[in-house]
Amino acid sequence: ALDAGNRALAVAAMDELRGWADDREIPRNPGEPGSECLDLRHLAAALGEEPETLGGEFDRVFGLVSNKECPPYETEFNREGDDFQRAQQMADVAGFYRAFGLTTSRALPDRPDHLVLELEFVSLLLTKKRLARDARAGEPEDLALERLAVCEKARKDFVAEHLVGWIPRFSQGLSRKAGAGYLFDLSSILAA
């Protein structure tokens, strides 16, 4: 379970993000929910539940066998592609990771196109961008600007080439499969 302090911090951060989004005219795709879905209160409360409760809900939705309605893997949404195209797609994802010195865990192996790994990668790029923007005193400004540009280009390219194409369909499938509970709340936030 996520402790109360971290849940409150997550809610405050999402409230800040929602306020930022509300202050701008951000184009949305047809059917894409607005910033009103960026409310973590229900999800944060649910994440205070016991791990057994959360795990039971997770197992119900995702199970031990590959879930056809909302598989958490990008290449599973490439229904028209053959095995070679899917392998190329996974290799492209792994290539982004390697470009920033990352590999998937050998202790807990998973495919590089797993939702959690892709979102964690975007999080890393945003962190690296922030660190480049807050460059250390005495560091040449052009080096910091170059790092910032590399991180921003990689983030934009990765989101456009990988996340945008399948996250909406994954979120819809997750919403249908979960029906209610913390994973349903998560599907709305992810869709937004």
Side-chain angles (χ1 to χ4, degrees):
L2 193 61
D3 70 67
N6 282 325
R7 290 193 319 263
L9 183 61
V11 168
M14 189 60 85
D15 287 347
E16 189 71 26
L17 180 60
R18 188 175 55 251
W20 177 89
D22 288 343
D23 291 343
R24 289 162 177 74
E25 289 188 30
I26 300 173
R28 292 190 308 230
N29 293 320
E32 182 180 352
S35 63
E36 67 277 359
C37 290
L38 297 175
D39 188 344
L40 281 184
R41 282 167 184 70
H42 293 322
L43 180 59
L47 292 178
E49 296 289 330
E50 291 299 317
E52 296 79 23
T53 304
L54 298 173
E57 177 68 10
F58 184 87
D59 289 345
R60 182 186 69 76
V61 172
F62 290 105
L64 296 174
V65 179
S66 181
N67 179 336
K68 297 296 182 197
E69 196 161 10
C70 56
Y73 298 99
E74 176 185 353
T75 55
E76 296 301 317
F77 288 87
N78 185 2
R79 296 191 188 352
E80 295 160 7
D82 59 21
D83 289 342
F84 179 75
Q85 288 174 314
R86 288 181 182 173
Q88 288 294 105
Q89 196 173 10
M90 274 196 275
D92 189 58
V93 171
F96 270 97
Y97 298 165
R98 278 192 309 277
F100 286 85
L102 303 173
T103 60
T104 55
S105 171
R106 290 179 188 211
L108 298 168
D110 207 339
R111 291 169 30 186
D113 66 329
H114 192 284
L115 172 66
V116 171
L117 295 176
E118 290 192 4
L119 292 176
E120 186 73 20
F121 179 65
V122 172
S123 174
L124 172 85
L125 292 175
L126 291 170
T127 299
K128 288 176 102 31
K129 181 180 168 185
R130 181 184 52 81
L131 292 172
R133 193 175 45 239
D134 301 339
R136 293 182 295 274
E139 184 177 57
E141 185 178 342
D142 58 337
L143 180 61
L145 291 173
E146 181 182 339
R147 287 182 185 155
L148 188 106
V150 165
C151 291
E152 182 59 13
K153 179 172 179 2
R155 184 195 62 80
K156 283 183 176 180
D157 289 348
F158 189 80
V159 167
E161 294 171 22
H162 294 286
L163 292 172
V164 168
W166 73 283
I167 293 292
R169 292 179 287 161
F170 170 81
S171 298
Q172 289 172 347
L174 180 58
S175 175
R176 281 190 305 273
K177 181 79 173 171
Y182 82 97
L183 290 172
F184 179 82
D185 293 338
L186 183 62
S187 73
S188 298
I189 292 165
L190 194 54

